[in-house]
Amino acid sequence: MRRWRKPPIWETEEWEKMTWEEKMDLWKRHRRQNFVLGSIFITVFMGSLSWFLFRNPLSQSRARFLIPIIMIVMGTCLYLGQNLMD
């Protein structure tokens, strides 16, 4: 079976050639990116959950517009998080 993605950096020879400082810089960068993606995901999830639980009848018309946007944002965060360490 052919791999569609590159292997993670820690499974390559390049990882062994990196210095400790370069590895820590890479880890810090990924940690920041992960924090931003996680914050966006949690904010959208909690906002959509509260909208679902506490919605009023006037917001029903906006449901057709908001649900696809919520799904796209959350799906994008999950996809980027999956490929973060590549």
Side-chain angles (χ1 to χ4, degrees):
M1 182 175 162
R2 193 169 86 179
R3 287 191 81 161
W4 294 98
R5 298 184 326 165
K6 297 184 315 187
I9 185 86
W10 62 85
E11 292 179 0
T12 62
E13 294 177 12
E14 181 183 350
W15 181 257
E16 300 300 325
K17 296 176 184 175
M18 293 173 74
T19 64
W20 181 255
E21 289 80 23
E22 291 172 332
K23 290 178 183 179
M24 287 293 103
D25 288 338
L26 183 66
W27 179 76
K28 288 177 185 176
R29 186 184 70 192
H30 287 300
R31 192 172 123 197
R32 279 192 307 267
Q33 292 171 349
N34 195 17
F35 178 76
V36 169
L37 287 174
S39 298
I40 293 170
F41 184 86
I42 294 297
T43 303
V44 170
F45 176 75
M46 295 305 287
S48 63
L49 181 65
S50 65
W51 173 78
F52 178 75
L53 293 176
F54 304 112
R55 65 181 172 207
N56 57 14
L58 296 176
S59 67
Q60 292 294 330
S61 62
R62 288 185 247 159
R64 291 185 182 151
F65 178 69
L66 286 177
I67 291 174
I69 291 174
I70 291 168
M71 291 172 58
I72 289 170
V73 170
M74 292 176 77
T76 303
C77 287
L78 289 174
Y79 177 76
L80 291 175
Q82 173 189 1
N83 296 320
L84 188 62
M85 291 297 284
D86 290 345

